[in-house]
Amino acid sequence: MAERPVVLIVGGGYVGLYTALRLQKRLSHGRAEVVIVDPQPHMTYQPFLPEAAAGSVEPRHVVVPLRRTLPRCRVVTGAVTGVDHATKRARIAPIEGQPYELTYDVLVMAAGSIARTLPIPGLAEHGIGFKNVGEAIYLRNHVLARLDAASSTDDPEVRRRALTFTFVGGGYAGVEAFAELEDMARYAITHYYPRLSTADMRWVLVEAMGRILPEVDLDMAAWTVRELTARGMDVRLNTRLESVSEGCVVKLSDGDEFASDTLVWTAGTKPNPMLKETDLPVDERGRVVCEATLQVRGLPDAWSAGDLAAVPDLTKETEGATTAPNAQHAVRQAKRLADNIVAVLGGQEPVPYKHAYAGSVASLGLHKGVAQVYGVKLKGWPAWFMHRTYHVSRVPTFNRKARVVADWTLAAVFRREVISLGQLQDPRREFVEAANTGRTGSLPPPSAADKAQSGSMRAS
Ligand SMILES: Cc1cc2nc3c(=O)[nH]c(=O)nc-3n(C[C@H](O)[C@H](O)[C@H](O)COP(=O)(O)OP(=O)(O)OC[C@H]3O[C@@H](n4cnc5c(N)ncnc54)[C@H](O)[C@@H]3O)c2cc1C
């Protein structure tokens, strides 16, 4: 090992940021160089994305800037496109310029997961995921733009299609996004759209299994379905999305077909496919095979944790059980992983990771939620309050905590903001139109982004 080893962290999400924060604190100056690589200059606190989409939290406050938070680490904005651990070299594609190789001594693989999609006709062209801040804010603008469109037309078909919102996947990310956005649209219609009624909206959640929210007990999941149904939302269990046609007609496995301008895919995740470009061992689900110490199997200088790692779950008796892909494990694993790196660099033994899953909290809109923590089951306002308290205690840095609480306070005092800033999706349009009009005297056709914002979510 080099005198001043280079610790390369691939990914600046939950695992990457928390590992770097801990290493920055625990490795005194000069003991190691920590390099963190991520295509984004920030970590995203994903549990706040539904609230960001609903306008309760500012988008900038659900992300944590890496350079500001990690002053003693080297931050590289780019993607790792492959790793050859045998020679300890990683290929980096920076956001600009030629790709290059970076040599390291210790590897932390923390590149997370991507949306797990299926080859459903029309899905790639019409759907959108819900995993990053761009998608969350796009959806917020899109939903509000659909209310504007519905309110400004007398065509019943256009109005029906604009006001039909389809979500696929009933895990916590999908259910929270579905419920939060509906709550926002309901609020907007009640206060600012006199030509629309909340009864005009159709919100459909499609789930292939016979239940939603696998993170909580069945009775809590069934209560959530009843709660959403009582709000007029349509939850289809044991149903699959079969296709989406050109005119955004959604076809379901129960035979139903309807036109919907909005199709959000939240049906699970899979490990980052970049792992295929590495020589790290992966299991049948494509996850990095780890020991309980979070070391990659057979490679003591390589570590991994979070959504892309198969970490043995020592709290379960079942053979081969691994920890679930969620933030609760990601944060704790990152701290253990960093402590283990420090221990090994100091010639000590690493400690196995062990944590029993504490439970889940989910927000279903303002003052609405469902929670099950350490066996305690909460519904409605208490669950929502617990959701907020828990997440504000977890979001990294005091700065972010303060900003999120300030957002909530301002929204409580001045009501929430429900304005579509669709222009953000295509900021140059007006200028290009002005420039082209001056030249040819006619308007250019609308751009892809403009079409996407003003109508269905078609990609081109
Ligand atoms: C909407 C939503 C809500 C959620 N709510 C909850 C919740 O309430 N409770 C809970 O426990 N969990 C929740 N989760 C899950 C939780 O956010 C994840 O389990 C957690 O983020 C996993 O951490 P990670 O570090 O493995 O991955 P991530 O946090 O996703 O980080 C991966 C990082 O790797 C980067 N990256 C990707 N490819 C490359 C590459 N080639 N090179 C370099 N970097 C790369 C990405 O940009 C990203 O920053 C939610 C997830 C979503 C999407």
Side-chain angles (χ1 to χ4, degrees), residues 305-383:
D307 280 9
L308 57 42
V311 178
D313 190 340
L314 300 184
T315 65
K316 296 212 172 108
E317 311 249 296
T318 333
E319 204 186 320
T322 52
T323 55
N326 57 51
Q328 204 180 114
H329 282 301
V331 173
R332 287 175 173 80
Q333 286 173 352
K335 289 181 180 162
R336 168 62 31 231
L337 191 160
D339 286 349
N340 280 349
I341 289 181
V342 175
V344 169
L345 288 178
Q348 290 163 351
E349 285 298 308
V351 175
Y353 170 77
K354 188 173 179 183
H355 167 70
Y357 189 60
S360 206
V361 288
S363 139
L364 303 173
L366 207 55
H367 307 151
K368 307 167 192 86
V370 59
Q372 186 174 332
V373 181
Y374 292 118
V376 178
K377 298 178 179 180
L378 296 173
K379 299 167 183 166
W381 191 89

Side-chain angles (χ1 to χ4, degrees), residues 140-141 144-145 148 184 188 192-193 416-422:
R140 168 182 172 68
N141 289 327
L144 290 169
D148 288 330
M184 175 195 73
Y192 307 115
Y193 293 85
R416 59 167 120 177
E417 280 292 350
V418 279
I419 182 72
S420 164
L421 287 181

